[in-house]
Amino acid sequence: MSDCYHKYEGKKVSDPDDLFRGNVYICPMHQEVRKTGPGNCPECGMALEALTIKEETSNEYKDMMKRFIWASVFSLPLFILTMGDMLPGHPLTTLLLPSFRRFTELILSLPVCLWSAYPFYVRAVNSIKMKHLNMYTLIGLGVSITFIYSIIATITPELFPSSFREPDGHVAVYFEAATVIITLILLGQVLELRARNQTTSAIKALLGLAAKSARKIWPDGKEEDIPLENVTIGDRIRIRPGEKIPVDGKVIGGSGSVNESMLTGEPLPVMKSPGDHVFGASINEKGSLIIEARKVGSETLLSRIIQMVTEAGRSKAPVQKIADIIASYFVPSVIFISILTFIMWSIFGPEPRFIYALLNAIAVLIIACPCSLGLATPMSIMVASGKAAAIGILFRNAEAIERLQKVTTIVLDKTGTITEGKPRVTRIIPLNNSEENELIRLSASLENGSEHPFAEAIVREAKERKLKLSELTDFTSITGKGVIGVTEKKQIALGNKDLMKTICSDNTGFYQAEDMRKEGQTAIFLAIEKRLSGIIVISDPIKKSSITAIADLKALGLTIVMLTGDSKTTAHAVAAKAGIDSVIAEVLPEQKLIEVKKLQKKGSIIAMAGDGINDAPAIAQADVGIAMGTGTDVAMESAGLTLVKGDLNGIVKAIHLSKATMLNIKQNLFFAFFYNIIGIPIAAGLLFPFFGILLSPMIASAAMSLSSVSVISNSLRLRKQHI
């Protein structure tokens, strides 16, 4: 990534570790603008923020706070000095000569208008150079015109005609207007930056979860605490009671009760024993564990959560495009209205007409700054992404948040999505004089090394029976049907009825298996030397949460469809228990993709939830792909939404959050548009002929700053949204 501006949408950082090095910067209003190192956005002039959410206070906030404090120190006496004429007896007027007082005002305004306002001038100039007029263009024009005019009026008042003079003959100066405008805008920037800092509080909380060190067990048995960054894959690590688990790994010794609530949102601890997986940042409450490190650094679940939440918070929702189009025409239109205001007041305004013309034109420039319009969507998305992460829901981007609330049909895989995904062998039916242990031993030899849940169940059963597995040769996997291999010089085939029909002539066991399927169990056939030799019955219980979640989804008016490669009988039995009416069964992985496309052609907006490699194509095709965090990395990479806990209740919560977020964005956009629609005519002096009301530039600057803060404050309400 070279040291220049990059524009792209929907792309990840090329190196995930960049998120931790913090060298990629992004514009909070224009997320397609990214740069290596700090700088300003060429689109809007705002300071770029590190793509990595950091725990410490941002440098921009510190800088703006310093400039605001100094601006306040000089603006307050200047304001008192200029307002002295309004005090009884006009004490300051009698004590100070008009010319001396004006030079005093000039001196007090210099630090504010030159140093405190310097970032605004730089961004205004850059906006003109880059031909991207923005809020800083308007601020820079308004303040600089006021300040320069006042300097000229102070030093060479004789240059001004009578139309610029007040009744006492002096040329009015507006140093206090320029300094107060700058001070109020800086106050708005400080409040805005502080509020934006709160939007990332959830991510900062995640950053603080990681352990700082790990207790490594060396090959000679010695133990040593080492920095977290020194842990490598394969290291053995001891986790004592009360300690944080430093990395993702697999338990290889001991047992313990692990609290994973910080990652999954599930408050109850989970018992872990050899063979179970554990995740970094979770806490070992009881017992002692020895784990083998499997994922470290940017590959751990916590790191991936931080990466996904950060990317989602910085991404741009489709609704933002409307605001971008309007903003592109808005600033030039405001400048035109400001010029028109000056002309109209110069011709038709009361004396001193040019003073009225100047002040009203500046008020239009200041009040119309489109900062609130640009922040309306990004702030809501950032808050929503952080809140979702806190309850175990990871949105990949803002588009997924927006699309989810439009979904009409939820398509669910069966194994690992509706069911627990931890199947067990519940029965073995020998055929043709076969023996139970021999069937399991040969089947496990064939499936050893496979990550399929059914394969793991068979291998686990063989290990529990302490059976010795044989070496395998000539292994072949037939997608959607089963596997074939050679062990002990025998051809072994393990799979469904379709595979057996191509291998065996005997089909007597098919009818026997049907009774098992009616109970929601899966029947797998085993053939030895092309002879049907047995049936292995596997049961995968339905998750307790699935039934309530499916009922809640149906209550939202959504259509629920089960899409599975399992047999029709088994699928319908599971669907009946789960409360699903529509079932599409016995489909191959590529057919899942086709079935999703068919539903989309009928006009359905699809959310597809799955956990396996075979679900990835359908997940990618769906309008919103949903991956179970307990599933494969491939499924998670294909999805726009990941449920860390692997619980369907997460879909219900995600839909509620999606709807709340889009409502919040619409409220923000309404506030921004309504504010400008009302504010610009008032600043231009539309009410003056009827009510004698004018809007001073100082009031305009206060209103402009507060409008941005109000939009962000409304976005922060999402943090307390009940879902």
Side-chain angles (χ1 to χ4, degrees), residues 659-712:
K659 291 181 176 180
T661 303
M662 295 314 299
L663 176 61
N664 191 269
I665 288 173
K666 290 174 183 176
Q667 291 169 345
N668 286 346
L669 290 173
F670 172 79
F671 293 153
F673 284 126
F674 181 79
Y675 162 80
N676 283 300
I677 290 171
I678 297 298
I680 292 175
I682 295 175
L686 189 64
L687 299 181
F688 184 77
F690 308 102
F691 306 104
I693 296 175
L694 286 176
L695 196 64
S696 77
M698 290 186 289
I699 300 299
S701 64
M704 183 274 291
S705 298
L706 290 174
S707 71
S708 298
V709 175
S710 66
V711 165
I712 297 177

Side-chain angles (χ1 to χ4, degrees), residues 71-129:
S72 301
V73 168
F74 287 97
S75 295
L76 183 59
L78 177 56
F79 184 78
I80 294 173
L81 180 63
T82 55
M83 295 296 107
D85 290 343
M86 298 182 182
L87 299 175
H90 307 290
L92 295 179
T93 304
T94 57
L95 289 174
L96 299 175
L97 295 174
S99 58
F100 181 77
R101 193 176 70 174
R102 282 171 170 73
F103 276 99
T104 303
E105 292 176 17
L106 171 58
I107 292 170
L108 288 172
S109 68
L110 285 175
V112 181
C113 294
L114 295 182
W115 182 76
S116 292
Y118 180 73
F120 302 147
Y121 300 143
V122 172
R123 295 173 186 181
V125 171
N126 287 339
S127 72
I128 296 171
K129 285 182 179 179

Side-chain angles (χ1 to χ4, degrees), residues 267 366 508:
I366 298 299
T508 54

